[in-house]
Amino acid sequence: MRLYAKPLLTLLALSLLLGGSAAWLARDWTGSFDIAALGGRLVEFFPPDLSHDHLSAVAKATWETLVLSVWGSALALIGAAVLALPASGTYGLAAKLPARAILNFLRAVPDLLWAAIAVLAAGIGPLAGVIALALHTTGVLGRLYAETLENAPREPAQALQLAGSTRLLAFLYGTLPVVAGQWIAYALYRWEVNIRIAAVMGFVGAGGLGQMLYMTLSLFQMKQAASVILATLLLAWLAESFSARLRRGLQPA
């Protein structure tokens, strides 16, 4: 019985939390979802605006979203690689703790909050999106890279050090080739995620499709907003397909 006590207490606590939160919200869940009103709103999105001028603006915003996601991911890859070395314990506990603290902080701050802060610092536009993506993604990739290094075999690097190699060269020639494929796969997947995040960051002024979608919805230009939504879905699908193909290419035959 004692074996099941902890899971049962956890389940009971979760049930009380759910029940208490539902009572606090005091919502009529059956009546709060108006399907008729939703259908009426959806009708306003059709047909999407496919005029030349609007599609040109959507294409520009799509390119902006792609560029800021690529640059944000690329800068994050560099920052994550630099912080992953001390965060993995390669340089001892004194370097590991502050590196882990930095990565945890960068990852803990939501990407939209980073975007809002970046807009205050860099102004409205894609530069703010690049900064926000780079900071948040550095925290995410840095943690993944550090864990990859911790789980990597140490024998190749140790053999090089015993042969007289420096710690940096031992890492470059002994450890990096082992983890490089996984690092690239993580970076590609995160870039794929950043495409979607970049499209949302525009709602706080970070440029791209998100900013255009926010403007069209604010002005109740539903048909124009529908075109932006379609472009966002298409860009996300293309990025996912491209990323998945590259990741498959990294897998050993």
Side-chain angles (χ1 to χ4, degrees):
M1 183 64 183
R2 185 177 300 177
L3 179 65
Y4 301 101
K6 189 173 181 179
L8 288 175
L9 288 175
T10 303
L11 182 60
L12 178 62
L14 289 174
S15 301
L16 291 174
L17 178 62
L18 288 174
S21 60
W24 182 80
L25 290 171
R27 287 178 176 269
D28 180 10
W29 296 105
T30 59
S32 61
F33 192 76
D34 192 340
I35 298 179
L38 176 62
R41 285 294 183 184
L42 290 177
V43 169
E44 297 177 9
F45 285 90
F46 296 96
D49 185 357
L50 301 178
S51 62
H52 179 269
D53 292 341
H54 182 63
L55 287 182
S56 297
V58 171
K60 181 181 178 181
T62 302
W63 174 251
E64 199 171 79
T65 299
L66 179 62
V67 168
L68 73 89
S69 69
V70 169
W71 273 101
S73 301
L75 293 175
L77 191 153
I78 298 171
V82 171
L83 287 171
L85 289 173
S88 66
T90 303
Y91 297 105
L93 189 62
K96 180 178 181 178
L97 293 179
R100 284 289 178 106
I102 293 172
L103 291 175
N104 289 338
F105 172 72
L106 293 175
R107 188 176 66 257
V109 177
D111 39 50
L112 279 179
L113 181 55
W114 275 127
I117 296 172
V119 166
L120 294 176
I124 293 175
L127 178 59
V130 171
I131 295 172
L133 278 180
L135 291 173
H136 184 74
T137 307
T138 294
V140 175
L141 285 181
R143 179 61 183 270
L144 293 173
Y145 286 2
E147 291 180 352
T148 304
L149 287 175
E150 288 179 341
N151 296 324
R154 302 181 182 276
E155 288 78 7
Q158 290 174 348
L160 288 172
Q161 285 185 287
L162 290 174
S165 175
T166 63
R167 183 178 294 180
L168 177 60
L169 290 176
F171 167 77
L172 291 176
Y173 291 100
T175 305
L176 186 59
V178 177
V179 302
Q182 197 166 359
W183 276 21
I184 295 173
Y186 281 142
L188 287 172
Y189 174 73
R190 188 61 201 183
W191 169 69
E192 174 191 327
V193 173
N194 283 345
I195 288 283
R196 299 177 176 85
I197 296 176
V200 177
M201 280 184 175
F203 276 78
V204 294
L209 286 167
Q211 188 169 333
M212 191 174 187
L213 180 60
Y214 174 75
M215 294 298 295
T216 53
L217 290 176
S218 299
L219 298 173
F220 297 99
Q221 298 174 345
M222 301 306 183
K223 291 177 173 55
Q224 289 79 4
S227 303
V228 179
I229 293 172
L230 289 175
T232 304
L233 294 175
L234 178 60
L235 180 61
W237 177 75
L238 290 174
E240 181 178 353
S241 301
F242 179 71
S243 174
R245 179 172 296 183
L246 287 180
R247 290 201 305 273
R248 283 196 298 270
L250 293 172
Q251 294 177 356

